[in-house]
Amino acid sequence: MLDTIQDMGRHGFGNWGVNPGGAMDGYAAQVANLLVGNDKHEAVIEIHFPGPQILFEQNTLIAITGADFSPTVNDEVIPRWQPVVVRKNTVLHFPSLVQGGRCYLSVHGGYCLQKWLNSYSTSLKAGAGGWDGMPLKKGDELAFNESHIYFAGLLKEENNFEALPWRVNTEKIYQYPHEVGFIPGHEWPLLSDAGRKAFLENNYIIHPSSDRMGYHLSGAPLILEKPIELVSSAMSFGTVQLLPGGRLIVLMADHQTTGGYPRIAHVVSAHLPKLAQLRPSDAIQFKLMDLAAAEQMLFSRQKELHILQRSCRDHLNEMVC
Amino acid sequence: MLLNYHPVADPLSSYSIFPLGDSAVTIDLGNCIDEQLNIRALALHDWLQAHRSPGILDIIGAYSSVSVFFDPPIVQASGVNGSCGVGQWVEGLLNEAWTATSGRIAAGPIVEGHTFRIPVCYEGEYAPDMQWVARHKGLSTEAIINIHCAKTYRVYMVGFLPGFSYMGTVDPQLELPRKQLPVNVVAGGVGIAGLQTGIYPLTSPGGWQIIGRTPVKLFDPRLDPPVRLQSGDRVQFYPVSQVEFRDLTGRPA
């Protein structure tokens, strides 16, 4: 439905109104790259269900992370969160949605694309970045950066693919998928006691109009004790804004750089991957956290990613040397 | 998105610093559209740019605030924060920026903005909301054009869309609310909302009252920089006819 080139975002151009964009689930996108020995900033394809069919015109090392769209190669199921060598002239397909919002496809060496403002991410608004600022469509041909690895050597006889023997345990990252940690926003104290209680205790449902820009939430409307008009200021990925009618919107990867609605809460960065994997009509339960705990989660995740990067490269070197 | 246009008693003496999540911190100088506050925000922005350290991803200035975006693990790994939390350290950095720029304001902005004259066609299909604005305000189209073109506007900030410049302040005779629901605005659309005026650089849904369209391209991803107007610039509009508009865009009549 919507398949775009993304990376870890276009940072540093907010003063021009250019938003970071980037992968909705930055964790899955990074891991997809690390599994195949890439730098975490390489471009990946972000895939929404129903996904594309992709013909590989050469032997390729790929990884698929994020949502489970039951990927197959020539109709045989392939593992996710694990590097897979696929044979030349096979077709990758995503026949059914099992779980999650978007998945990521990396190729060893990365896709051969031009950066715009220092990033591969597709900005549909600006019509720039990624695949010339556009979603991928039927018939598009993407080139890979050249690889020195002889993948044919890793494929057994007639097999269409070969899963390499290392994978990532993502249990902790996506645990309690509906529990989303937040730290209070600047206008949080302007909610009534009852409003804050409602926000903490009620479930919110992701509305079908949600997309890469933001998740609209249905649930008990919230009202500020004293309405406040704010001049526009910067917003961030995960900011929960209170709209004039009392509805909430969580700003996601393609959010506008600035806005003027009250900031009730900010989803903690470590939980954005979970949120990115939720779909319309899924429920969210907000959980109050403190800043120190939010930071700590990011630090330990970063450590794990470092270890993953090192071990993937070591494994890959052992396999091919 | 409006607004307290009335500056607080001593707008340059108070500020607040607060987290915008776990990866950004904002310094807010006062919730209003005020040239002095905006100049101060620009000075803070420039100071922070000049004192960037590893892990700082972006520094975004707005009407009366500046937000610093960062990657907490990179800041932590660089060790600049010592035993502080990363967010806490950035709050400290913003305090330092405030102190460092305190003496500078009377002298004016560090970098003078450019002044641009921008042609606008206020006629026909290019001005879909002109008749509504005229009726609502009891003004003739001509009077509206004169009022809109009489002032030189300051670009307070760029945001919302790539290259969308928030300018002001518009003569209170044209003060109008935003639309209840956004409608599609064609690229180049010149709108007013509250005491703000702005140009839609790209075709996009928008809630401002569109009283004209400029043939000037304000955003082009192939250019460096891709945006024409930046915070601190000044803009004066002048009216052009539909024929001139088409000549300027090179489109056939």
Side-chain angles (χ1 to χ4, degrees), chain B residues 22-38:
Chain B
D22 56 30
S23 302
V25 175
T26 295
I27 178 166
D28 183 4
L29 309 179
N31 181 33
C32 59
I33 299 177
D34 174 87
E35 185 156 354
Q36 288 309 304
L37 288 193
N38 190 246

Side-chain angles (χ1 to χ4, degrees), chain A residues 37-238:
Chain A
N38 289 348
D39 184 87
K40 65 179 183 182
H41 294 288
E42 268 308 330
V44 295
I45 304 180
E46 183 178 85
I47 293 166
H48 290 80
F49 193 80
Q53 295 193 35
I54 296 172
L55 169 71
F56 292 96
E57 294 185 340
Q58 61 193 53
N59 299 322
T60 313
L61 175 62
I62 67 165
I64 295 168
T65 61
D68 185 356
F69 300 159
S70 56
T72 59
V73 164
N74 281 13
D75 298 325
E76 288 175 74
V77 175
I78 61 166
R80 298 156 50 244
W81 300 98
Q82 190 166 347
V84 178
V85 180
V86 293
R87 191 182 291 281
K88 181 176 168 172
N89 290 329
T90 57
V91 175
L92 173 67
H93 186 197
F94 299 90
S96 58
L97 192 166
V98 179
Q99 196 177 42
R102 51 270 300 169
C103 74
Y104 296 87
L105 171 63
S106 66
V107 296
H108 173 80
Y111 302 98
C112 192
L113 295 163
Q114 293 283 322
K115 285 185 175 181
W116 177 60
L117 299 182
N118 211 21
S119 162
Y120 294 115
S121 287
T122 308
S123 172
L124 297 175
K125 275 248 163 72
W131 189 245
D132 211 13
M134 293 179 299
L136 297 169
K137 59 180 189 310
K138 193 175 170 179
D140 286 343
E141 288 182 28
L142 271 90
F144 308 153
N145 291 315
E146 218 164 307
S147 167
H148 60 279
I149 299 177
Y150 177 63
F151 291 116
L154 298 172
L155 285 161
K156 284 183 199 124
E157 294 162 10
E158 300 297 299
N159 289 1
N160 287 319
F161 67 88
E162 183 69 37
L164 303 187
W166 59 93
R167 68 189 318 272
V168 185
N169 182 355
T170 61
E171 216 172 280
K172 255 170 45 193
I173 309 292
Y174 300 100
Q175 213 176 17
Y176 313 116
H178 303 281
E179 276 184 23
V180 175
F182 76 95
I183 62 170
H186 194 238
E187 281 70 51
W188 171 253
L190 303 183
L191 287 170
S192 65
D193 288 346
R196 286 197 293 269
K197 200 164 172 258
F199 185 77
L200 286 163
E201 289 179 357
N202 290 327
N203 280 340
Y204 287 88
I205 309 291
I206 298 171
H207 193 266
S209 62
S210 301
D211 57 17
R212 277 184 47 91
M213 283 180 70
Y215 283 6
H216 296 260
L217 304 183
S218 327
L222 295 180
I223 294 159
L224 294 182
E225 283 200 296
K226 278 189 206 142
I228 182 172
E229 299 262 33
L230 298 170
V231 298
S232 285
S233 64
M235 295 289 151
S236 57
F237 189 177

Side-chain angles (χ1 to χ4, degrees), chain B:
Chain B
M1 291 266 140
L2 320 186
L3 310 157
N4 167 16
Y5 293 112
H6 314 291
V8 295
D10 184 3
L12 293 178
S13 66
S14 67
Y15 64 98
S16 57
I17 294 174
F18 51 86
L20 195 70
D22 56 30
S23 302
V25 175
T26 295
I27 178 166
D28 183 4
L29 309 179
N31 181 33
C32 59
I33 299 177
D34 174 87
E35 185 156 354
Q36 288 309 304
L37 288 193
N38 190 246
I39 290 170
R40 182 68 187 268
L42 260 182
L44 281 166
H45 174 271
D46 292 349
W47 188 92
L48 289 159
Q49 278 289 4
H51 293 80
R52 265 177 101 131
S53 53
I56 304 292
L57 298 179
D58 207 356
I59 302 159
I60 304 184
Y63 274 115
S64 54
S65 66
V66 181
S67 301
V68 176
F69 290 76
F70 49 92
D71 186 327
I74 299 180
V75 176
Q76 171 84 354
S78 78
V80 284
N81 56 318
S83 59
C84 265
V86 170
Q88 236 182 331
W89 174 77
V90 177
E91 291 191 19
L93 183 71
L94 285 170
N95 264 310
E96 199 184 330
W98 168 269
T99 310
T101 53
S102 284
R104 303 270 289 278
I105 301 312
I110 296 163
V111 183
E112 277 294 337
H114 301 279
T115 301
F116 295 88
R117 291 191 77 235
I118 292 183
V120 178
C121 178
Y122 292 94
E123 298 168 13
E125 58 166 313
Y126 299 115
D129 300 321
M130 182 61 100
Q131 295 314 315
W132 184 87
V133 172
R135 271 201 312 279
H136 205 81
K137 285 289 173 189
L139 292 167
S140 68
T141 306
E142 214 179 10
I144 292 168
I145 299 169
N146 284 337
I147 296 168
H148 193 245
C149 290
K151 281 182 99 170
T152 300
Y153 300 108
R154 174 182 179 80
V155 176
Y156 279 90
M157 59 180 275
V158 179
F160 166 52
L161 288 173
F164 186 100
S165 45
Y166 289 79
M167 296 176 262
T169 54
V170 171
D171 189 300
Q173 289 181 80
L174 295 184
E175 185 172 2
L176 281 165
R178 294 159 52 97
K179 292 173 185 167
Q180 290 286 330
L181 286 173
V183 298
N184 201 49
V185 178
V186 176
V190 175
I192 49 176
L195 297 184
Q196 306 168 103
T197 185
I199 307 168
Y200 286 79
L202 304 163
T203 297
S204 155
W208 292 21
Q209 312 291 346
I210 305 303
I211 58 169
R213 194 188 303 169
T214 179
V216 175
K217 225 175 166 177
L218 290 154
F219 174 77
D220 185 340
R222 290 161 301 186
L223 299 182
D224 181 21
V227 299
R228 190 67 82 78
L229 302 175
Q230 303 195 32
S231 307
D233 287 342
R234 295 192 172 267
V235 168
Q236 185 164 25
F237 296 112
Y238 65 95
V240 294
S241 69
Q242 299 191 50
V243 173
E244 286 170 301
F245 181 98
R246 287 176 195 132
D247 285 349
L248 285 164
T249 52
R251 275 179 226 149

